[in-house]
Amino acid sequence: MISHRKTVTAWLLLTPMIVIILGVSGYPLIKTIYFSLTGAKLIAPDMTSIWVGFDNYIRALSSSKFREAIWHTTYFAVISVGVEMVIGVLVALLLNEAFKGRTLLRAMLILPLALPTVVNAMMWRLIYNPDFGALNALLLQFGMLDAYRSWLGDPASALDMVILADVWKNFPLVALIALAALQTVPKDLYEAATLDGAGVWNRFWRITLPAIMGPLSVALVLRTIEAFKVFDIIYVMTRGGPASSTKTVSFYVYQEAFAYMRVGSGASYALIVVLISASLIAGYMYLIRKQGEV
């Protein structure tokens, strides 16, 4: 009886939150699904009633431009997250050591994270500027360039330059997570391993990496999800150009739904992105569950 009463009380307390979630997320999702099955357009609201079934999805999956956007997004996510993980772990290992000025460096590590993405993107646009950018000036001084280069105007380098800007902003998140995990590793393990003759690499491979693997896995999945949804930094730095070389799926959805005003097909593209993101979230939940079982 007491258990039943507690269950009822719990559901009553959760009801307001459930109603809010259904109102904020549930209704828009249902509306998006409905739009994706119609020929809805922003400039022709009457076309909302035109039922096209799964034609929008078939068109999306058969579109070479959409597949190209998926490739750009995958490349962006894999490279940016991979570099962030490596740099983040290296920085965390450095800041875990005792040296003068460590506290200041730890505080400075948060600065890139504190910058809004739009500000970060504008800052890097100035750095890459083909006329007075700091990157061109620096490489020219070191003799690595013969003339100023338009980094964001070249399809061969534009996406890599955006990735560099994204890595600079987000690697501190990985570093902070790894540093927090390193604080939990007992020093006795390193002392015992050193007495047994283990070198730096062996200590890292046998002690450090297994100890921080759980938190790093969480950081990996979280950053992958965020990287796959990338939009704002692309919008500010390149607007998907040049020649669509930096157009990601989120930017593609934005153009389809709002620039071209094809809400129906834009909704179908968005739901495909949602399904991909949901798969990543499922992987994240699986890793969390596995970490809890260890």
Side-chain angles (χ1 to χ4, degrees):
M1 185 66 179
I2 297 177
S3 177
H4 176 71
R5 187 178 299 170
K6 287 183 177 180
T7 302
V8 173
T9 303
W11 277 107
L12 288 174
L13 293 173
L14 288 172
T15 299
M17 181 189 68
I18 294 174
V19 172
I20 293 174
I21 291 176
L22 289 177
V24 173
S25 302
Y27 175 75
L29 178 60
I30 294 172
K31 200 71 174 178
T32 302
I33 294 173
Y34 172 74
F35 280 145
S36 72
L37 302 173
T38 69
K41 294 185 179 181
L42 284 178
I43 57 174
D46 294 340
M47 295 189 68
T48 303
S49 60
I50 299 179
W51 189 263
V52 299
F54 291 99
D55 288 352
N56 287 329
Y57 292 94
I58 295 172
R59 192 180 301 111
L61 294 174
S62 61
S63 171
S64 59
K65 293 183 178 179
F66 186 61
R67 291 197 299 269
E68 184 181 23
I70 292 178
W71 161 246
H72 291 159
T73 307
T74 303
Y75 178 84
F76 180 93
V78 171
I79 300 300
S80 64
V81 175
V83 175
E84 287 166 17
M85 296 298 292
V86 173
I87 296 178
V89 170
L90 291 176
V91 171
L93 290 171
L94 172 65
L95 296 180
N96 192 47
E97 299 296 325
F99 59 90
K100 189 175 181 180
R102 181 179 66 172
T103 303
L104 178 61
L105 287 178
R106 286 181 176 181
M108 292 176 61
L109 183 65
I110 305 175
L111 291 179
L113 280 176
L115 278 180
T117 303
V118 173
V119 176
N120 176 63
M122 289 300 298
M123 179 185 71
W124 281 94
R125 276 192 65 179
L126 292 174
I127 292 174
Y128 295 147
N129 189 281
D131 297 321
F132 53 81
L135 180 60
N136 278 319
L138 182 65
L139 295 179
L140 203 64
Q141 289 293 326
F142 282 100
M144 301 176 67
L145 282 180
D146 296 328
Y148 275 31
R149 178 179 176 182
S150 179
W151 299 99
L152 296 179
D154 184 357
S157 62
L159 188 56
D160 292 327
M161 295 299 102
V162 176
I163 288 174
L164 177 59
D166 184 74
V167 167
W168 183 85
K169 175 171 172 40
N170 291 300
F171 87 87
L173 175 64
V174 179
L176 290 173
I177 292 175
L179 181 60
L182 287 171
Q183 302 295 306
T184 65
V185 182
K187 300 297 182 182
D188 296 344
L189 294 178
Y190 293 108
E191 295 174 359
T194 303
L195 291 175
D196 289 339
V200 175
W201 174 250
N202 281 331
R203 293 199 300 271
F204 173 78
W205 187 255
R206 302 291 183 182
I207 300 174
T208 305
L209 190 59
I212 65 175
M213 184 58 71
L216 279 184
S217 300
V218 175
L220 172 65
V221 178
L222 287 175
R223 280 300 306 135
T224 302
I225 293 172
E226 288 300 315
F228 197 85
K229 297 188 301 181
V230 64
F231 171 80
D232 40 12
I233 194 170
I234 297 290
Y235 183 85
V236 175
M237 292 188 70
T238 64
R239 300 292 176 93
S244 299
S245 60
T246 61
K247 186 180 290 186
T248 59
V249 288
S250 294
F251 194 86
Y252 195 94
V253 170
Y254 158 77
Q255 282 192 322
E256 187 71 17
F258 300 106
Y260 306 145
M261 299 187 181
R262 295 191 285 257
V263 177
S265 58
S268 65
Y269 290 128
L271 287 172
I272 292 174
V273 175
V274 167
L275 290 175
I276 297 174
S277 299
S279 301
L280 295 175
I281 292 172
Y284 163 69
M285 298 302 295
Y286 174 77
L287 289 175
I288 291 292
R289 189 176 297 111
K290 292 292 289 185
Q291 182 183 358
E293 293 174 356
V294 175

